Each structure stands twice: as C-alpha cells, then as structure tokens.
Amino acid sequence: AQTVTQSQPEMSVQEAETVTLSCTYDTSESDYYLFWYKQPPSRQMILVIRQEAYKQQNATENRFSVNFQKAAKSFSLKISDSQLGDAAMYFCAYNTPLVFGKGTRLSVIA
Amino acid sequence: DVKVTQSSRYLVKRTGEKVFLECVQDMDHENMFWYRQDPGLGLRLIYFSYDVKMKEKGDIPEGYSVSREKKERFSLILESASTNQTSMYLCASSLGQGFQETQYFGPGTRLLVL
C-alpha cells in the first residue's frame, strides 16, 4: 500500500523568510503524481502544486517550488518570501484518489 | 471556478441516528470523493465514485454508505451514527479519471455525534 509521511507536525517561519516542508512516500509504481494541498484555517483545501514522477524537472508555482527526489522518494515543498496568508495546514498527497500525509501546520510570524 | 458545496458546515446528531451529508459540484466533474479528517491522522478516503450510480470503497468504508443518483451530487450516509464518527468530512471532485487529476474540495462538514 502506498504511504505518505510528513515528519514535521508543526513548523514556523518569519515573514519574508523561506521554509521547507518535508514529505516522503512509499510506492512501487513508476509513474504517479504528487501533490501539495493547503488548508487555511476554516477555509477550503486548495491545490498548491503538483509534480508528475515522470518529469525530472521540479515544479514551481510563483513562491512555491518542490524538490522532487524520485530515487529517495522525497517530495519537499519550499515556500519563499513567506507571507501571513501562507499560514495553514499543508498536506502532501499521492495520486488520485489521494493518499494523504498527516499534515504540517505552518505558522508565519510577523 | 469550480465550486463544491456541502449541505451543512456544522451538524450535531445523536447516536443511532441516520445521517445524510450532501455534496454538490457545479463543473460537470466525473469523479467525486468523500474523505474524513481527524487531527493527527490527516485525511482518509471513505468512498469515491467515477460515475453516476457507481461507487468504490476507500480505506475506511465501514459504517458508511454513499449514493450518486445524479452526476453533480454525491451523498455520504451514516446508517447508524456512532460517537467514533465525530469528525470533519470533506467532499471533493475531479474532472476525469486518472491519478493525475487535481481535486477540488468543499468547505467541510464538522459532525458531532453525541
């Protein structure tokens, strides 16, 4: 069975700084998708970024980028120039239907 | 923009009651999903549906059933609510089949079973 592990239950970052959220996964598949979803307090979960395992190039979306290491089965999320609105639960997920990690709660300090 | 709505944001029910959670999406998506979210456990898949009248069990289907009579609507049913079903329930939809599809989530229903 596929599993997704987020080893950091909570993290904090100063506004304007950079933070990296970790995610590892386990699968025997060769092609798959990985996702980072964001769940702000009392708001709907939204997609932040996704990565196809087939592609070696790391995905980027504005201030969000990933470090995808397929051999290590690692998929970390880097948030640059952190903003107060980035405070949320972040979930790493595998494929659709999604297999989720347990989440990392990110706090942003002004 | 895709909109996924859930019938209630908060719900309080008694043990043994039959509970219906409704989810509607307005973008003609093929796939719909029900997840349960618990602190420290993340989200877990209960059921999903790839087509009208079609359903597939997820990781934790026990105690739940689903109904999809129309493409835009996916209902989660707790046949006899129990206290261990107190949780946040999230509905999601995606456009087509395939593991690459982005899911769009509803706001969630926080259910308390007394």
Side-chain angles (χ1 to χ4, degrees), chain B residues 3 28 47-48 76 81 97 101-103 107 110:
Chain B
K3 194 166 185 181
D28 203 33
Y47 268 97
F48 61 101
L76 180 68
Q97 292 197 29
E101 295 290 334
T102 297
Q103 291 195 4
R110 191 171 295 279

Side-chain angles (χ1 to χ4, degrees), chain B residues 50-113:
Chain B
Y50 284 138
D51 201 354
V52 175
K53 297 189 185 294
M54 178 272 181
K55 61 185 178 183
E56 293 283 346
K57 292 181 180 179
D59 299 321
I60 51 165
E62 297 79 18
Y64 303 94
S65 63
V66 291
S67 173
R68 193 168 181 200
E69 296 296 321
K70 293 184 178 181
K71 189 175 185 179
E72 67 271 18
R73 187 179 298 270
F74 192 35
S75 302
L76 180 68
I77 303 156
L78 286 65
E79 297 289 344
S80 177
S82 63
T83 55
N84 62 13
Q85 292 178 310
T86 291
S87 187
M88 169 73 89
Y89 291 89
L90 295 178
C91 175
S93 70
S94 66
L95 179 59
Q97 292 197 29
F99 51 78
Q100 75 279 11
E101 295 290 334
T102 297
Q103 291 195 4
Y104 297 86
F105 285 82
T109 296
R110 191 171 295 279
L111 173 66
L112 173 63
V113 182

